Amino acid sequence: MLLLLLSYLGGALTLLSPCILPVLPFVFARADRPFLRSTLPLLLGMALTFTVVASLAAVGSQWVAQANQIGRWVALVLMALFALALLWPRLADHLLAPFQRVGARLSARADAADAAGRGGAGTSLLIGIATGLLWAPCAGPILGLVLTGAALHGASVGTSALLLAYALGAMTALALAVWVGGRVFRALQARLGLGDAVRKVLGVAALLAVVAIGLGWDTGLLTRLSTVSTARIEQGLLDAVPGAQPSPPSMMMSASAAAADAPLPMEGTLPALTGATGWLNSPPLDREQLRGKVVLIDFWTYSCINCLRAMPYVHEWERRYRDHGLVVIGVHTPEFAFERDPRNVMKAVQQLKVEYPVALDNQYAIWRAFNNNYWPAHYFVDAQGNIRAHQFGEGNYAHSEQVIRRLLTEAGQIDLPAPADPAAADLQGVAAQADMGNLRSPETYLGHARAEQFASPGGQRDDTSFDYTLPAALQLNQWGLAGRWTVSDEAAQLQQSGGRIGFQFHARDLHLVLAPGADGRPVRFRVLLDGKPLPAADAGADVRADGSGVVDEHRLYQLVRQRGAVAPHRFEIEFLDAGVQAYAFTFG
């Protein structure tokens, strides 16, 4: 109930955001008509359309996204005709006769119905459905929480209910605005005789809204022009309700460990592993085959820096206890699209020397069965198939090994080898543990779906080739692009050679998830630090001493590792060839 209330309040706050501006002309165009027969059906149509489309799109189905794009263009055509009908009703009747059931005739039919006292609710509902396809609300913390949960755990009645509550909150705020606007409209019409003029102004505004939506300004420029920080208000609401906001499913750091001698609780039973789309290093495994074994389930993805830093410890446990009844199963659940390719995962498994079974969880079936939210995540299962402990994120390695030893002892294993010494682990390259004392830069995505702190003038242009420039100065954790790039939801792809990415960071290590172009050709690059060639002493594992390197695989690249004092720096990477795809920065 609390989440429903939060979703409703989050939707109501949408009225304070510029993201609502493109649809306001269509809503206010009916402000002078009876509320119950005109405005209410329109708002309900918007709410229902948004709920249905968002529920389907949240599960990530490509055909749904494509259908929604087609629906938006159809809706744009209908809204353009509706706007023309506001401007020239008689001319529209003659020129747009084939569309008499939609578009231009919508307004005329609604007017006739209102005048005759027949209502016109069906027409208003149809306009609301079309407007709902155009509405792209800003994904603040509350809506982002709902959509992220839906994407990771699948569509459900609960998810749709939260989305509907969000939409109804927005509709309530709009209804209040329309009520006020309607009173103003009627006052102008009665006292100044400006009804026709106001109608034409709304028609022009509606046409401009169609143009803005068609050019993508509704989700781009308007979002960045926000003068009211609704995100801060929403975050305050989430913070005020304990348990309302789970930690995000991203590359997280360590959690505190339980006392070493505390009893291990029963956290559930090992779910079925039948949802895997494939297996590496092993035939498919099921619960019955694992009965009698202590099992460590390791959720990971191969471009995740936190997973890579935890992996040496998982390898050591598997090597040390495999002959004493421990089975380690890596569940590879992808974050980016390229991690769904079994060939990429197979190559990563070979390079990382993963010898234990790996389940490919491309459909998030095992992830959802565990109700998991994190990379990495370790679940410890006893010989009876019960989950007895878990570890989310990096760290607590000694405690995790102690859990393994206790479960092996419960299973009757004796003469276990001595525990490993975490301090003696040979950690090279990206596996070296993060310098937490100097880590002041967060994981940062470059795709427009999750991008933050983008500072290039004009902002990001979604899914459009655009010539970007880097600002002369960047604040801490701001970043930008230079050159011709196309920014998709997941990544930024360089269209011409010579493009650059800049980031003002404060951390010992800087990593960037990169991939070559669609043709697979390697992309050369060079790294600069504070405008100068990267010093050889600070070159990451994937950079030569002269600051150059090559992107030839889909993976995480370590570009900077400072060996001396750690301080804030301006990082820039210049690509000497076109085609590179950049996904996310991570730091250590």
Side-chain angles (χ1 to χ4, degrees):
M1 181 59 71
L2 280 176
L3 280 179
L4 285 172
L5 179 59
L6 285 173
S7 295
Y8 180 85
L9 293 175
L13 289 172
T14 301
L15 189 64
L16 301 179
S17 169
C19 296
I20 202 68
L21 293 179
V23 300
L24 284 180
F26 307 119
V27 177
F28 278 110
R30 312 195 67 75
D32 62 327
R33 296 169 174 81
F35 179 82
L36 293 179
R37 296 197 302 268
S38 183
T39 304
L40 182 60
L42 183 147
L43 295 178
L44 289 177
M46 285 184 63
L48 292 174
T49 303
F50 168 76
T51 302
V52 171
V53 171
S55 296
L56 293 174
V59 301
S61 300
Q62 185 64 35
W63 71 268
V64 172
Q66 184 177 4
N68 187 33
Q69 289 300 314
I70 295 172
R72 280 175 65 84
W73 283 108
V74 171
L76 281 173
V77 173
L78 294 181
M79 292 298 100
L81 295 176
F82 171 62
L84 290 174
L86 288 172
L87 289 171
W88 304 291
R90 293 182 180 178
L91 179 61
D93 285 343
H94 292 290
L95 295 179
L96 304 174
F99 302 97
Q100 60 181 346
R101 294 187 180 275
V102 292
R105 293 298 298 272
L106 291 179
S107 180
R109 288 178 60 190
D111 289 341
D114 289 337
R118 296 196 304 270
T123 300
S124 296
L125 181 65
L126 183 58
I127 295 175
I129 291 173
T131 307
L133 287 169
L134 304 179
W135 181 38
C138 297
I142 292 177
L143 181 57
L145 172 65
V146 177
L147 292 176
T148 298
L152 294 176
H153 303 298
S156 66
V157 174
T159 296
S160 295
L162 290 173
L163 289 168
L164 180 60
Y166 185 94
L168 290 177
M171 297 308 102
T172 301
L174 276 174
L176 179 61
V178 170
W179 178 75
V180 175
R183 294 173 66 90
V184 174
F185 183 93
R186 285 189 291 273
L188 288 172
Q189 189 176 32
R191 298 183 183 182
L192 302 177
L194 295 178
D196 289 340
V198 173
R199 182 185 181 90
K200 290 183 177 181
V201 169
L202 289 172
V204 172
L207 280 176
L208 292 176
V210 168
V211 173
I213 295 170
L215 294 177
W217 295 347
D218 59 323
T219 55
L221 178 62
L222 289 176
T223 303
R224 286 182 286 272
L225 290 178
S226 179
T227 56
V228 181
S229 181
T230 58
R232 292 184 179 180
I233 301 175
E234 291 186 35
Q235 191 63 54
L237 289 172
L238 289 172
D239 293 340
V241 181
Q245 178 176 245
S247 299
S250 63
M251 304 171 186
M252 57 171 289
M253 300 310 295
S254 61
S256 59
D261 57 350
L264 297 178
M266 297 290 183
E267 298 183 357
T269 58
L270 175 65
L273 305 176
T274 54
T277 56
W279 287 80
L280 302 177
N281 297 338
S282 169
L285 299 175
D286 59 35
R287 286 180 292 190
E288 294 307 315
Q289 292 174 283
L290 298 171
R291 185 75 62 177
K293 300 287 187 179
V294 172
V295 181
L296 167 59
I297 301 292
D298 173 25
F299 282 94
W300 68 295
T301 186
Y302 80 83
S303 73
C304 164
I305 183 60
N306 306 80
C307 301
L308 296 175
R309 287 197 286 249
M311 188 166 284
Y313 299 95
V314 177
H315 287 188
E316 175 61 23
W317 300 332
E318 195 276 336
R319 184 195 65 79
R320 187 172 291 258
Y321 300 109
R322 70 171 67 142
D323 295 331
H324 298 270
L326 176 68
V327 175
V328 175
I329 298 177
V331 178
H332 187 273
T333 310
E335 180 175 19
F336 300 114
F338 66 80
E339 293 172 315
R340 297 177 183 272
D341 189 334
R343 295 169 297 181
N344 290 338
V345 183
M346 187 179 301
K347 180 182 289 187
V349 164
Q350 293 171 348
Q351 292 174 341
L352 296 170
K353 299 180 180 180
V354 178
E355 299 177 353
Y356 44 82
V358 175
L360 303 181
D361 189 28
N362 282 357
Q363 303 302 323
Y364 277 60
I366 303 176
W367 177 286
R368 288 195 293 267
F370 275 83
N371 197 29
N372 186 49
N373 282 305
Y374 310 106
W375 291 285
H378 298 151
Y379 293 87
F380 303 89
V381 183
D382 66 20
Q384 286 72 46
N386 300 307
I387 300 174
R388 301 288 299 281
H390 64 267
Q391 166 66 34
F392 297 148
E394 299 177 63
N396 295 337
Y397 299 116
H399 173 72
S400 293
E401 184 176 8
Q402 184 63 31
V403 170
I404 293 172
R405 294 175 64 86
R406 288 179 63 178
L407 294 181
L408 290 173
T409 301
E410 287 183 9
Q413 295 292 329
I414 58 175
D415 297 328
L416 295 176
D421 180 5
D426 183 20
L427 305 176
Q428 302 294 327
V430 297
Q433 301 304 288
D435 180 2
M436 297 302 296
N438 285 301
L439 183 57
R440 300 177 189 173
S441 291
E443 177 184 12
T444 301
Y445 294 92
L446 277 65
H448 62 70
R450 293 184 283 180
E452 296 180 342
Q453 300 274 42
F454 184 71
S456 288
Q460 284 186 325
R461 305 298 177 95
D462 298 354
D463 305 304
T464 301
S465 182
F466 185 73
D467 291 317
Y468 293 93
T469 58
L470 276 173
L474 292 169
Q475 299 300 315
L476 182 63
N477 299 326
Q478 285 186 333
W479 65 281
L481 301 171
R484 181 169 288 270
W485 294 81
T486 298
V487 181
S488 65
D489 59 341
E490 275 197 349
Q493 183 168 23
L494 181 61
Q495 303 301 310
Q496 296 177 347
S497 61
R500 289 177 294 147
I501 305 174
F503 196 113
Q504 187 73 22
F505 77 104
H506 190 143
R508 184 195 66 197
D509 305 335
L510 179 146
H511 315 95
L512 187 55
V513 179
L514 297 166
D519 57 6
R521 294 181 181 178
V523 176
R524 298 167 297 157
F525 66 80
R526 66 187 186 105
V527 175
L528 304 174
L529 208 62
D530 298 325
K532 301 177 181 179
L534 178 69
D538 293 332
D542 294 297
V543 180
R544 304 186 187 104
D546 63 354
S548 67
V550 176
V551 177
D552 54 5
E553 296 178 316
H554 298 68
R555 63 178 177 88
L556 177 143
Y557 290 77
Q558 185 182 80
L559 303 177
V560 177
R561 165 157 289 170
Q562 299 181 69
R563 268 77 178 184
V566 177
H569 293 285
R570 178 174 173 131
F571 163 88
E572 289 188 28
I573 181 170
E574 180 182 9
F575 299 99
L576 308 182
D577 306 291
V580 73
Q581 300 172 79
Y583 290 82
F585 283 97
T586 59
F587 302 90

